[in-house]
Amino acid sequence: MIYSILIALILMGEITMSEFYDLENESIAYNSRMADPNELFSDEFVEEMKFYEGTTEYQKEVGIFKDGVFKSYEDTEGHQTIGFGHNIKSGESDLFFKGLSIEEADSLLKVDLKDALINVHKRHQVETDEVQEVLVDLYFQHGAHTMTTQFSEFVTAMNDLDYERAAANLMYIDPDLPEGKRKFSEYYEKYPDRAVNNINKLLNTRKEVHQYMLENNIIDTMLDLDENPLEIKNRQNYINIINLGL
């Protein structure tokens, strides 16, 4: 219902699209804080995060998971970590002294992903599930401060809803340089599989979904149906990186 009211206010000229996005993001961030972490993400996305952070099987092979529990280890950034990518904060060491069971590690991952989701909705307009997954993954892996300082060009492109530009910024330090002179970003060089997965998700998301909906009178239809227009997905067919010249 809240979306229909907000859109009606837009159509009456009472609020701008920018104000709508701010109100919508605040609403989603609040709902995320109140939500059960087990209900926020698809099983596929959670398994994807476990794969990139190190599955139970992988951690067993390298000796981090043993005797039925996950032990702490130092990640690629030098942080003390446990389970599926949880960075152990100051004062938490005693909590994980005996390690984590599989169930505890799974629950902790979902709580960490929820925290990342709240950060995402405080800072970004999220148009599709794929955009949300990319942002949650990046904020989960790097944190809000690093996203602001080291991924500033990517963040700007995402705020402009320019997903092709955002994808290029994940892959290259300066995507504006001529082909042959571009250098891969540190993110792409360190985590190529993860980076390519996120790049493809961005390229699979249609730019300016809301403008498309307004131009085609879809919002008027949604007012009658009392549905959330932001959940209407209009995605392009899969476009690979090569075809877009990235």
Side-chain angles (χ1 to χ4, degrees), residues 77 142 150-151 169-173 183-192:
E77 303 295 328
H142 300 284
Q150 297 182 26
F151 289 78
N169 275 292
L170 286 183
M171 193 167 193
Y172 296 110
I173 296 173
K183 293 183 178 180
F184 289 128
S185 68
E186 181 180 358
Y187 170 68
Y188 181 83
E189 289 191 328
K190 277 189 172 182
Y191 316 103

Side-chain angles (χ1 to χ4, degrees), residues 160-205:
D160 290 340
L161 308 182
D162 189 344
Y163 301 128
E164 292 178 22
R165 176 76 179 179
N169 275 292
L170 286 183
M171 193 167 193
Y172 296 110
I173 296 173
D174 187 352
D176 292 328
L177 289 175
E179 189 173 350
K181 293 187 177 181
R182 301 172 186 167
K183 293 183 178 180
F184 289 128
S185 68
E186 181 180 358
Y187 170 68
Y188 181 83
E189 289 191 328
K190 277 189 172 182
Y191 316 103
D193 293 341
R194 196 168 190 166
V196 167
N197 184 46
N198 283 331
I199 288 167
N200 280 332
K201 285 182 180 181
L202 290 175
L203 297 182
N204 200 38
T205 300

Side-chain angles (χ1 to χ4, degrees), residues 10-26:
I10 292 173
L11 297 176
M12 291 187 295
E14 296 294 328
I15 62 173
T16 65
M17 287 297 290
S18 176
E19 290 170 331
F20 168 80
Y21 294 144
D22 289 341
L23 290 169
E24 189 259 348
N25 285 350
E26 288 177 11

Side-chain angles (χ1 to χ4, degrees), residues 103-159:
E103 293 76 15
E104 289 170 336
D106 184 75
S107 296
L108 184 57
L109 170 63
K110 290 174 183 176
V111 169
D112 286 343
L113 291 175
K114 175 181 174 177
D115 290 343
L117 179 64
I118 292 169
N119 268 319
V120 165
H121 283 297
K122 284 180 179 177
R123 294 167 171 80
H124 297 279
Q125 177 189 338
V126 178
E127 296 189 309
T128 69
D129 290 343
E130 289 184 323
V131 167
Q132 176 170 290
E133 288 179 359
V134 170
L135 289 169
V136 168
D137 177 35
L138 287 165
Y139 276 80
F140 165 72
Q141 184 183 14
H142 300 284
H145 176 72
T146 299
M147 290 301 299
T148 302
T149 56
Q150 297 182 26
F151 289 78
S152 58
E153 294 296 323
F154 166 82
V155 168
T156 298
M158 290 299 291
N159 288 337

Side-chain angles (χ1 to χ4, degrees), residues 20 22 33 55 62 67 90 115 124 153 166-167 208 226 228:
F20 168 80
D22 289 341
R33 285 194 294 272
T55 62
V62 298
D67 300 325
S90 176
D115 290 343
H124 297 279
E153 294 296 323
E208 297 179 342
D226 194 26
N228 172 11

